[in-house]
Short mmCIF file of all heavy atoms in Angstrom, two decimals:
data_model
loop_
_atom_site.label_atom_id
_atom_site.label_comp_id
_atom_site.label_asym_id
_atom_site.label_seq_id
_atom_site.Cartn_x
_atom_site.Cartn_y
_atom_site.Cartn_z
N MET A 1 0.84 -1.19 0.00
CA MET A 1 0.00 0.00 0.00
C MET A 1 0.88 1.25 0.00
O MET A 1 2.02 1.23 0.43
CB MET A 1 -0.91 0.02 1.23
CG MET A 1 -1.73 -1.25 1.38
SD MET A 1 -3.40 -0.94 1.99
CE MET A 1 -4.18 -0.50 0.41
N ALA A 2 0.32 2.31 -0.45
CA ALA A 2 1.09 3.53 -0.63
C ALA A 2 0.83 4.52 0.50
O ALA A 2 -0.11 4.38 1.27
CB ALA A 2 0.74 4.19 -1.96
N GLN A 3 1.70 5.49 0.57
CA GLN A 3 1.50 6.61 1.47
C GLN A 3 1.45 7.88 0.63
O GLN A 3 2.06 7.96 -0.42
CB GLN A 3 2.66 6.69 2.48
CG GLN A 3 2.71 5.46 3.39
CD GLN A 3 3.78 5.60 4.47
OE1 GLN A 3 4.51 6.58 4.53
NE2 GLN A 3 3.88 4.61 5.32
N TRP A 4 0.71 8.85 1.14
CA TRP A 4 0.56 10.13 0.43
C TRP A 4 0.88 11.23 1.42
O TRP A 4 0.41 11.21 2.56
CB TRP A 4 -0.88 10.28 -0.08
CG TRP A 4 -1.24 9.29 -1.14
CD1 TRP A 4 -1.45 7.94 -0.97
CD2 TRP A 4 -1.44 9.55 -2.54
NE1 TRP A 4 -1.77 7.36 -2.19
CE2 TRP A 4 -1.77 8.32 -3.16
CE3 TRP A 4 -1.38 10.72 -3.31
CZ2 TRP A 4 -2.03 8.23 -4.52
CZ3 TRP A 4 -1.64 10.63 -4.67
CH2 TRP A 4 -1.96 9.38 -5.27
N VAL A 5 1.68 12.18 0.98
CA VAL A 5 2.09 13.26 1.88
C VAL A 5 1.45 14.57 1.44
O VAL A 5 1.37 14.88 0.25
CB VAL A 5 3.63 13.37 1.95
CG1 VAL A 5 4.23 13.68 0.59
CG2 VAL A 5 4.03 14.40 2.99
N CYS A 6 0.99 15.32 2.41
CA CYS A 6 0.41 16.62 2.15
C CYS A 6 1.53 17.59 1.80
O CYS A 6 2.50 17.73 2.55
CB CYS A 6 -0.34 17.10 3.40
SG CYS A 6 -0.99 18.78 3.25
N SER A 7 1.39 18.27 0.66
CA SER A 7 2.43 19.20 0.22
C SER A 7 2.42 20.49 1.03
O SER A 7 3.32 21.31 0.90
CB SER A 7 2.27 19.50 -1.26
OG SER A 7 1.02 20.12 -1.51
N VAL A 8 1.39 20.67 1.84
CA VAL A 8 1.28 21.90 2.62
C VAL A 8 1.86 21.72 4.02
O VAL A 8 2.65 22.53 4.49
CB VAL A 8 -0.18 22.37 2.70
CG1 VAL A 8 -0.31 23.61 3.58
CG2 VAL A 8 -0.71 22.64 1.30
N CYS A 9 1.45 20.64 4.71
CA CYS A 9 1.84 20.51 6.12
C CYS A 9 2.62 19.23 6.42
O CYS A 9 2.96 18.98 7.57
CB CYS A 9 0.61 20.58 7.02
SG CYS A 9 -0.40 19.07 6.97
N ASP A 10 2.89 18.42 5.39
CA ASP A 10 3.67 17.20 5.56
C ASP A 10 2.94 16.09 6.32
O ASP A 10 3.54 15.12 6.74
CB ASP A 10 5.02 17.47 6.22
CG ASP A 10 5.96 18.22 5.31
OD1 ASP A 10 5.78 18.14 4.08
OD2 ASP A 10 6.87 18.90 5.83
N TYR A 11 1.62 16.24 6.52
CA TYR A 11 0.86 15.13 7.06
C TYR A 11 0.96 13.96 6.09
O TYR A 11 0.92 14.15 4.87
CB TYR A 11 -0.61 15.53 7.24
CG TYR A 11 -1.53 14.35 7.52
CD1 TYR A 11 -1.68 13.86 8.81
CD2 TYR A 11 -2.22 13.73 6.47
CE1 TYR A 11 -2.52 12.78 9.06
CE2 TYR A 11 -3.06 12.64 6.72
CZ TYR A 11 -3.20 12.17 8.01
OH TYR A 11 -4.02 11.10 8.25
N VAL A 12 1.11 12.75 6.63
CA VAL A 12 1.20 11.57 5.77
C VAL A 12 -0.06 10.73 5.91
O VAL A 12 -0.43 10.33 7.02
CB VAL A 12 2.43 10.72 6.14
CG1 VAL A 12 2.45 9.42 5.30
CG2 VAL A 12 3.72 11.51 5.91
N TYR A 13 -0.74 10.51 4.78
CA TYR A 13 -1.85 9.58 4.77
C TYR A 13 -1.30 8.20 4.41
O TYR A 13 -0.78 7.99 3.33
CB TYR A 13 -2.92 9.98 3.76
CG TYR A 13 -4.02 8.93 3.67
CD1 TYR A 13 -4.98 8.84 4.66
CD2 TYR A 13 -4.05 8.00 2.63
CE1 TYR A 13 -5.96 7.86 4.62
CE2 TYR A 13 -5.02 7.02 2.58
CZ TYR A 13 -5.98 6.95 3.58
OH TYR A 13 -6.93 5.96 3.55
N ASN A 14 -1.43 7.26 5.35
CA ASN A 14 -0.96 5.90 5.14
C ASN A 14 -2.16 5.02 4.82
O ASN A 14 -3.07 4.88 5.65
CB ASN A 14 -0.25 5.43 6.43
CG ASN A 14 0.41 4.07 6.25
OD1 ASN A 14 -0.02 3.25 5.44
ND2 ASN A 14 1.46 3.83 7.00
N GLU A 15 -2.17 4.45 3.64
CA GLU A 15 -3.32 3.64 3.24
C GLU A 15 -3.54 2.45 4.16
O GLU A 15 -4.64 1.95 4.30
CB GLU A 15 -3.14 3.17 1.79
CG GLU A 15 -3.19 4.32 0.79
CD GLU A 15 -3.04 3.84 -0.65
OE1 GLU A 15 -2.60 2.69 -0.85
OE2 GLU A 15 -3.37 4.63 -1.56
N GLU A 16 -2.47 1.96 4.77
CA GLU A 16 -2.60 0.83 5.69
C GLU A 16 -3.30 1.25 6.98
O GLU A 16 -3.91 0.42 7.65
CB GLU A 16 -1.22 0.27 6.04
CG GLU A 16 -0.55 -0.43 4.88
CD GLU A 16 0.77 -1.06 5.30
OE1 GLU A 16 0.80 -1.70 6.36
OE2 GLU A 16 1.76 -0.89 4.59
N VAL A 17 -3.21 2.50 7.33
CA VAL A 17 -3.77 3.00 8.58
C VAL A 17 -5.12 3.67 8.37
O VAL A 17 -6.01 3.59 9.21
CB VAL A 17 -2.79 4.00 9.24
CG1 VAL A 17 -3.38 4.59 10.52
CG2 VAL A 17 -1.46 3.31 9.54
N GLY A 18 -5.29 4.30 7.20
CA GLY A 18 -6.51 5.05 6.95
C GLY A 18 -6.53 6.32 7.78
O GLY A 18 -5.48 6.83 8.18
N ASP A 19 -7.72 6.83 8.02
CA ASP A 19 -7.87 8.03 8.84
C ASP A 19 -9.06 7.81 9.76
O ASP A 19 -10.16 8.34 9.52
CB ASP A 19 -8.09 9.25 7.94
CG ASP A 19 -8.21 10.54 8.73
OD1 ASP A 19 -7.91 10.53 9.95
OD2 ASP A 19 -8.60 11.56 8.14
N PRO A 20 -8.86 6.99 10.80
CA PRO A 20 -9.98 6.62 11.68
C PRO A 20 -10.73 7.81 12.26
O PRO A 20 -11.95 7.74 12.44
CB PRO A 20 -9.29 5.81 12.80
CG PRO A 20 -8.03 5.30 12.16
CD PRO A 20 -7.60 6.37 11.19
N ALA A 21 -10.03 8.90 12.50
CA ALA A 21 -10.67 10.08 13.06
C ALA A 21 -11.72 10.65 12.12
O ALA A 21 -12.66 11.32 12.53
CB ALA A 21 -9.63 11.14 13.40
N ALA A 22 -11.55 10.38 10.81
CA ALA A 22 -12.49 10.88 9.81
C ALA A 22 -13.39 9.76 9.30
O ALA A 22 -14.11 9.93 8.32
CB ALA A 22 -11.72 11.51 8.65
N GLY A 23 -13.32 8.60 9.97
CA GLY A 23 -14.17 7.49 9.56
C GLY A 23 -13.65 6.71 8.37
O GLY A 23 -14.39 5.98 7.73
N ILE A 24 -12.35 6.88 8.07
CA ILE A 24 -11.74 6.16 6.96
C ILE A 24 -11.10 4.88 7.50
O ILE A 24 -10.21 4.93 8.34
CB ILE A 24 -10.66 7.02 6.27
CG1 ILE A 24 -11.24 8.39 5.86
CG2 ILE A 24 -10.08 6.28 5.07
CD1 ILE A 24 -12.41 8.30 4.88
N SER A 25 -11.57 3.75 7.00
CA SER A 25 -11.09 2.47 7.50
C SER A 25 -9.66 2.20 7.06
O SER A 25 -9.26 2.61 5.97
CB SER A 25 -11.99 1.34 6.99
OG SER A 25 -13.31 1.54 7.43
N PRO A 26 -8.89 1.48 7.89
CA PRO A 26 -7.55 1.05 7.47
C PRO A 26 -7.63 0.26 6.16
O PRO A 26 -8.57 -0.52 5.96
CB PRO A 26 -7.09 0.15 8.63
CG PRO A 26 -7.86 0.65 9.81
CD PRO A 26 -9.21 1.09 9.26
N GLY A 27 -6.67 0.47 5.29
CA GLY A 27 -6.66 -0.24 4.02
C GLY A 27 -7.39 0.49 2.91
O GLY A 27 -7.55 -0.05 1.82
N THR A 28 -7.84 1.71 3.17
CA THR A 28 -8.55 2.47 2.14
C THR A 28 -7.55 3.14 1.20
O THR A 28 -6.76 3.98 1.64
CB THR A 28 -9.43 3.56 2.79
OG1 THR A 28 -10.35 2.94 3.68
CG2 THR A 28 -10.19 4.33 1.71
N PRO A 29 -7.56 2.77 -0.09
CA PRO A 29 -6.66 3.46 -1.04
C PRO A 29 -6.98 4.94 -1.12
O PRO A 29 -8.15 5.33 -0.99
CB PRO A 29 -6.96 2.76 -2.37
CG PRO A 29 -7.61 1.47 -2.01
CD PRO A 29 -8.36 1.74 -0.72
N PHE A 30 -5.95 5.74 -1.33
CA PHE A 30 -6.15 7.19 -1.36
C PHE A 30 -7.21 7.59 -2.37
O PHE A 30 -8.05 8.46 -2.12
CB PHE A 30 -4.81 7.87 -1.68
CG PHE A 30 -4.87 9.37 -1.58
CD1 PHE A 30 -4.77 10.00 -0.35
CD2 PHE A 30 -5.03 10.16 -2.71
CE1 PHE A 30 -4.83 11.39 -0.25
CE2 PHE A 30 -5.09 11.55 -2.62
CZ PHE A 30 -5.00 12.15 -1.39
N GLU A 31 -7.21 6.92 -3.52
CA GLU A 31 -8.16 7.30 -4.57
C GLU A 31 -9.59 6.97 -4.19
O GLU A 31 -10.53 7.48 -4.80
CB GLU A 31 -7.79 6.63 -5.90
CG GLU A 31 -7.67 5.13 -5.82
CD GLU A 31 -6.24 4.68 -5.57
OE1 GLU A 31 -5.46 5.41 -4.92
OE2 GLU A 31 -5.90 3.58 -6.03
N ASN A 32 -9.76 6.15 -3.15
CA ASN A 32 -11.10 5.81 -2.70
C ASN A 32 -11.61 6.71 -1.58
O ASN A 32 -12.74 6.55 -1.11
CB ASN A 32 -11.15 4.35 -2.23
CG ASN A 32 -11.12 3.38 -3.40
OD1 ASN A 32 -11.02 3.79 -4.56
ND2 ASN A 32 -11.20 2.11 -3.11
N LEU A 33 -10.77 7.63 -1.16
CA LEU A 33 -11.23 8.58 -0.14
C LEU A 33 -12.35 9.43 -0.73
O LEU A 33 -12.36 9.72 -1.93
CB LEU A 33 -10.08 9.50 0.28
CG LEU A 33 -8.97 8.85 1.11
CD1 LEU A 33 -7.82 9.83 1.29
CD2 LEU A 33 -9.49 8.38 2.45
N PRO A 34 -13.29 9.82 0.09
CA PRO A 34 -14.36 10.69 -0.41
C PRO A 34 -13.78 12.00 -0.96
O PRO A 34 -12.76 12.49 -0.47
CB PRO A 34 -15.24 10.95 0.82
CG PRO A 34 -14.51 10.43 1.99
CD PRO A 34 -13.45 9.49 1.50
N VAL A 35 -14.45 12.55 -1.97
CA VAL A 35 -13.92 13.76 -2.61
C VAL A 35 -13.86 14.93 -1.64
O VAL A 35 -13.11 15.88 -1.85
CB VAL A 35 -14.75 14.16 -3.85
CG1 VAL A 35 -14.57 13.11 -4.94
CG2 VAL A 35 -16.22 14.31 -3.49
N ASP A 36 -14.66 14.84 -0.58
CA ASP A 36 -14.65 15.96 0.37
C ASP A 36 -13.71 15.70 1.56
O ASP A 36 -13.71 16.43 2.52
CB ASP A 36 -16.07 16.25 0.87
CG ASP A 36 -16.69 15.06 1.57
OD1 ASP A 36 -16.11 13.94 1.51
OD2 ASP A 36 -17.77 15.22 2.17
N TRP A 37 -12.92 14.63 1.44
CA TRP A 37 -11.93 14.37 2.50
C TRP A 37 -10.91 15.49 2.54
O TRP A 37 -10.49 16.00 1.50
CB TRP A 37 -11.24 13.02 2.25
CG TRP A 37 -10.27 12.65 3.33
CD1 TRP A 37 -10.55 12.06 4.53
CD2 TRP A 37 -8.84 12.82 3.30
NE1 TRP A 37 -9.39 11.88 5.24
CE2 TRP A 37 -8.34 12.34 4.53
CE3 TRP A 37 -7.96 13.37 2.36
CZ2 TRP A 37 -6.98 12.36 4.83
CZ3 TRP A 37 -6.60 13.39 2.68
CH2 TRP A 37 -6.12 12.89 3.89
N ARG A 38 -10.54 15.87 3.76
CA ARG A 38 -9.59 16.98 3.92
C ARG A 38 -8.40 16.52 4.74
O ARG A 38 -8.51 15.65 5.58
CB ARG A 38 -10.26 18.16 4.65
CG ARG A 38 -11.45 18.75 3.92
CD ARG A 38 -11.00 19.62 2.76
NE ARG A 38 -12.14 20.04 1.93
CZ ARG A 38 -12.02 20.87 0.91
NH1 ARG A 38 -10.84 21.37 0.60
NH2 ARG A 38 -13.07 21.21 0.19
N CYS A 39 -7.27 17.15 4.50
CA CYS A 39 -6.09 16.86 5.29
C CYS A 39 -6.38 17.15 6.76
O CYS A 39 -6.84 18.24 7.11
CB CYS A 39 -4.93 17.74 4.82
SG CYS A 39 -3.46 17.60 5.86
N PRO A 40 -6.13 16.16 7.64
CA PRO A 40 -6.37 16.38 9.08
C PRO A 40 -5.46 17.46 9.66
O PRO A 40 -5.76 18.03 10.71
CB PRO A 40 -6.04 15.01 9.71
CG PRO A 40 -6.11 14.04 8.58
CD PRO A 40 -5.70 14.80 7.35
N GLY A 41 -4.36 17.74 8.98
CA GLY A 41 -3.41 18.70 9.50
C GLY A 41 -3.75 20.13 9.14
O GLY A 41 -3.64 21.04 9.95
N CYS A 42 -4.16 20.35 7.88
CA CYS A 42 -4.32 21.73 7.42
C CYS A 42 -5.57 21.94 6.58
O CYS A 42 -5.78 23.03 6.05
CB CYS A 42 -3.09 22.17 6.65
SG CYS A 42 -2.88 21.27 5.11
N SER A 43 -6.38 20.87 6.41
CA SER A 43 -7.68 20.99 5.75
C SER A 43 -7.64 21.29 4.26
O SER A 43 -8.63 21.71 3.70
CB SER A 43 -8.56 22.04 6.45
OG SER A 43 -8.80 21.64 7.78
N VAL A 44 -6.50 21.06 3.62
CA VAL A 44 -6.50 21.18 2.17
C VAL A 44 -7.15 19.93 1.55
O VAL A 44 -7.29 18.90 2.20
CB VAL A 44 -5.08 21.36 1.59
CG1 VAL A 44 -4.45 22.64 2.09
CG2 VAL A 44 -4.21 20.16 1.89
N GLY A 45 -7.52 20.03 0.30
CA GLY A 45 -8.16 18.91 -0.37
C GLY A 45 -7.15 17.88 -0.86
O GLY A 45 -5.93 18.06 -0.75
N LYS A 46 -7.69 16.80 -1.42
CA LYS A 46 -6.85 15.69 -1.87
C LYS A 46 -5.84 16.10 -2.92
O LYS A 46 -4.80 15.47 -3.06
CB LYS A 46 -7.75 14.57 -2.44
CG LYS A 46 -8.62 13.91 -1.39
CD LYS A 46 -9.61 12.95 -2.03
CE LYS A 46 -8.91 11.78 -2.71
NZ LYS A 46 -9.90 10.83 -3.30
N GLU A 47 -6.16 17.13 -3.70
CA GLU A 47 -5.28 17.52 -4.80
C GLU A 47 -3.92 18.01 -4.32
O GLU A 47 -2.97 18.08 -5.09
CB GLU A 47 -5.94 18.58 -5.68
CG GLU A 47 -6.15 19.93 -5.01
CD GLU A 47 -7.40 19.99 -4.15
OE1 GLU A 47 -8.12 18.97 -4.05
OE2 GLU A 47 -7.65 21.06 -3.56
N ALA A 48 -3.82 18.33 -3.02
CA ALA A 48 -2.56 18.83 -2.50
C ALA A 48 -1.63 17.69 -2.06
O ALA A 48 -0.51 17.94 -1.64
CB ALA A 48 -2.81 19.76 -1.31
N PHE A 49 -2.13 16.45 -2.18
CA PHE A 49 -1.31 15.32 -1.72
C PHE A 49 -0.47 14.75 -2.85
O PHE A 49 -0.88 14.72 -4.01
CB PHE A 49 -2.21 14.24 -1.13
CG PHE A 49 -2.58 14.51 0.30
CD1 PHE A 49 -3.50 15.51 0.62
CD2 PHE A 49 -2.01 13.78 1.33
CE1 PHE A 49 -3.85 15.77 1.94
CE2 PHE A 49 -2.35 14.04 2.66
CZ PHE A 49 -3.27 15.03 2.96
N VAL A 50 0.71 14.28 -2.48
CA VAL A 50 1.63 13.68 -3.43
C VAL A 50 1.96 12.27 -2.97
O VAL A 50 2.25 12.04 -1.79
CB VAL A 50 2.94 14.50 -3.52
CG1 VAL A 50 3.93 13.84 -4.48
CG2 VAL A 50 2.63 15.93 -3.95
N ARG A 51 1.91 11.33 -3.89
CA ARG A 51 2.21 9.95 -3.54
C ARG A 51 3.67 9.79 -3.15
O ARG A 51 4.56 10.34 -3.79
CB ARG A 51 1.89 9.03 -4.73
CG ARG A 51 2.08 7.56 -4.40
CD ARG A 51 1.80 6.71 -5.63
NE ARG A 51 2.11 5.32 -5.35
CZ ARG A 51 1.21 4.33 -5.42
NH1 ARG A 51 -0.02 4.57 -5.79
NH2 ARG A 51 1.56 3.10 -5.12
N VAL A 52 3.89 9.00 -2.10
CA VAL A 52 5.25 8.70 -1.66
C VAL A 52 5.61 7.31 -2.14
O VAL A 52 4.91 6.35 -1.85
CB VAL A 52 5.35 8.75 -0.12
CG1 VAL A 52 6.77 8.37 0.32
CG2 VAL A 52 4.97 10.12 0.40
N ASP A 53 6.68 7.21 -2.89
CA ASP A 53 7.15 5.90 -3.33
C ASP A 53 8.21 5.40 -2.36
O ASP A 53 9.24 6.05 -2.18
CB ASP A 53 7.72 5.98 -4.74
CG ASP A 53 6.63 6.21 -5.77
OD1 ASP A 53 5.59 5.55 -5.67
OD2 ASP A 53 6.83 7.06 -6.65
N GLU A 54 7.93 4.27 -1.77
CA GLU A 54 8.88 3.71 -0.82
C GLU A 54 10.00 3.01 -1.58
O GLU A 54 9.76 2.09 -2.32
CB GLU A 54 8.17 2.72 0.11
CG GLU A 54 7.05 3.38 0.88
CD GLU A 54 6.35 2.37 1.77
OE1 GLU A 54 7.01 1.74 2.58
OE2 GLU A 54 5.14 2.20 1.61
N GLU A 55 11.21 3.48 -1.35
CA GLU A 55 12.32 2.93 -2.12
C GLU A 55 13.39 2.32 -1.23
O GLU A 55 14.35 1.73 -1.72
CB GLU A 55 12.95 4.03 -2.97
CG GLU A 55 11.99 4.61 -3.99
CD GLU A 55 12.65 5.70 -4.83
OE1 GLU A 55 13.89 5.73 -4.87
OE2 GLU A 55 11.92 6.50 -5.42
N GLU A 56 13.25 2.48 0.07
CA GLU A 56 14.34 2.08 0.96
C GLU A 56 14.70 0.61 0.82
O GLU A 56 15.84 0.23 0.87
CB GLU A 56 13.98 2.34 2.43
CG GLU A 56 13.65 3.80 2.73
CD GLU A 56 12.17 4.01 2.83
OE1 GLU A 56 11.55 3.39 3.70
OE2 GLU A 56 11.61 4.77 2.02
N GLU A 57 13.69 -0.23 0.65
CA GLU A 57 13.94 -1.66 0.67
C GLU A 57 14.03 -2.26 -0.72
O GLU A 57 14.07 -3.46 -0.88
CB GLU A 57 12.84 -2.37 1.48
CG GLU A 57 12.82 -1.92 2.94
CD GLU A 57 11.77 -2.68 3.72
OE1 GLU A 57 11.53 -3.85 3.39
OE2 GLU A 57 11.17 -2.10 4.63
N VAL A 58 14.07 -1.40 -1.72
CA VAL A 58 14.12 -1.90 -3.08
C VAL A 58 15.58 -2.18 -3.46
O VAL A 58 16.35 -1.28 -3.74
CB VAL A 58 13.51 -0.89 -4.07
CG1 VAL A 58 13.66 -1.41 -5.51
CG2 VAL A 58 12.06 -0.66 -3.73
N GLU A 59 15.93 -3.45 -3.42
CA GLU A 59 17.30 -3.84 -3.77
C GLU A 59 17.38 -4.34 -5.20
O GLU A 59 18.42 -4.34 -5.81
CB GLU A 59 17.77 -4.95 -2.81
CG GLU A 59 17.91 -4.47 -1.37
CD GLU A 59 19.15 -3.60 -1.18
OE1 GLU A 59 20.13 -3.82 -1.89
OE2 GLU A 59 19.11 -2.70 -0.33
N THR A 60 16.26 -4.81 -5.71
CA THR A 60 16.26 -5.35 -7.06
C THR A 60 15.04 -4.80 -7.79
O THR A 60 14.16 -4.19 -7.21
CB THR A 60 16.16 -6.88 -7.07
OG1 THR A 60 14.85 -7.26 -6.66
CG2 THR A 60 17.19 -7.50 -6.15
N ASN A 61 14.99 -5.04 -9.07
CA ASN A 61 13.84 -4.64 -9.86
C ASN A 61 12.95 -5.83 -10.20
O ASN A 61 12.16 -5.79 -11.12
CB ASN A 61 14.30 -3.96 -11.15
CG ASN A 61 14.94 -2.61 -10.85
OD1 ASN A 61 14.49 -1.88 -9.96
ND2 ASN A 61 15.97 -2.27 -11.60
N GLU A 62 13.09 -6.87 -9.40
CA GLU A 62 12.32 -8.09 -9.65
C GLU A 62 10.89 -7.92 -9.16
O GLU A 62 10.53 -8.37 -8.09
CB GLU A 62 12.97 -9.28 -8.93
CG GLU A 62 14.40 -9.54 -9.37
CD GLU A 62 14.47 -10.25 -10.72
OE1 GLU A 62 13.41 -10.76 -11.18
OE2 GLU A 62 15.54 -10.28 -11.30
N GLU A 63 10.07 -7.30 -9.94
CA GLU A 63 8.69 -7.04 -9.49
C GLU A 63 7.87 -8.32 -9.41
O GLU A 63 6.85 -8.35 -8.76
CB GLU A 63 8.02 -6.05 -10.44
CG GLU A 63 8.70 -4.68 -10.38
CD GLU A 63 7.91 -3.61 -11.09
OE1 GLU A 63 6.77 -3.89 -11.56
OE2 GLU A 63 8.40 -2.49 -11.19
N ASP A 64 8.32 -9.35 -10.07
CA ASP A 64 7.60 -10.62 -10.01
C ASP A 64 7.94 -11.41 -8.75
O ASP A 64 7.38 -12.46 -8.49
CB ASP A 64 7.93 -11.48 -11.24
CG ASP A 64 7.36 -10.87 -12.51
OD1 ASP A 64 6.37 -10.11 -12.42
OD2 ASP A 64 7.93 -11.14 -13.58
N TYR A 65 8.86 -10.91 -7.97
CA TYR A 65 9.31 -11.63 -6.78
C TYR A 65 8.18 -11.86 -5.80
O TYR A 65 8.10 -12.88 -5.15
CB TYR A 65 10.44 -10.86 -6.11
CG TYR A 65 11.00 -11.53 -4.88
CD1 TYR A 65 11.81 -12.65 -4.99
CD2 TYR A 65 10.70 -11.05 -3.61
CE1 TYR A 65 12.34 -13.28 -3.87
CE2 TYR A 65 11.20 -11.67 -2.48
CZ TYR A 65 12.02 -12.79 -2.62
OH TYR A 65 12.51 -13.39 -1.50
N LEU A 66 7.26 -10.89 -5.70
CA LEU A 66 6.14 -11.02 -4.78
C LEU A 66 5.17 -12.08 -5.28
O LEU A 66 4.35 -12.52 -4.54
CB LEU A 66 5.42 -9.68 -4.63
CG LEU A 66 6.27 -8.56 -4.02
CD1 LEU A 66 5.51 -7.26 -4.05
CD2 LEU A 66 6.67 -8.89 -2.58
ZN1 ZN B 101 -1.98 19.17 5.25
#
């Protein structure tokens, strides 16, 4: 699952965690968030979020490994 960071306040939306305070269940993909969902940190809309690509553990390009 991916994480998305707010470009305004650096709040991180973790798809594995969701946003329980806003009624978003863990495991909710960012694109499935309601259109009126707002950043819990600064209340900007979804368009201000940028996807975070996790690269720390990528040692190979073997995408079929999983
Ligand atoms: Zn924010």
Side-chain angles (χ1 to χ4, degrees):
M1 307 218 82
Q3 296 185 358
W4 294 72
V5 61
C6 175
S7 62
V8 177
C9 74
D10 290 336
Y11 168 84
V12 175
Y13 175 77
N14 186 332
E15 293 181 344
E16 291 184 45
V17 177
D19 182 11
I24 307 300
S25 300
T28 302
F30 187 81
E31 55 266 30
N32 286 2
L33 289 173
V35 293
D36 60 350
W37 183 82
R38 299 283 172 176
C39 174
C42 66
S43 298
V44 298
K46 293 173 64 179
E47 68 277 0
F49 277 73
V50 178
R51 184 182 175 120
V52 177
D53 290 315
E54 301 179 56
E55 298 180 20
E56 302 102 60
E57 297 182 33
V58 177
E59 294 285 330
T60 71
N61 291 322
E62 300 283 346
E63 295 191 5
D64 292 335
Y65 181 74
L66 297 174

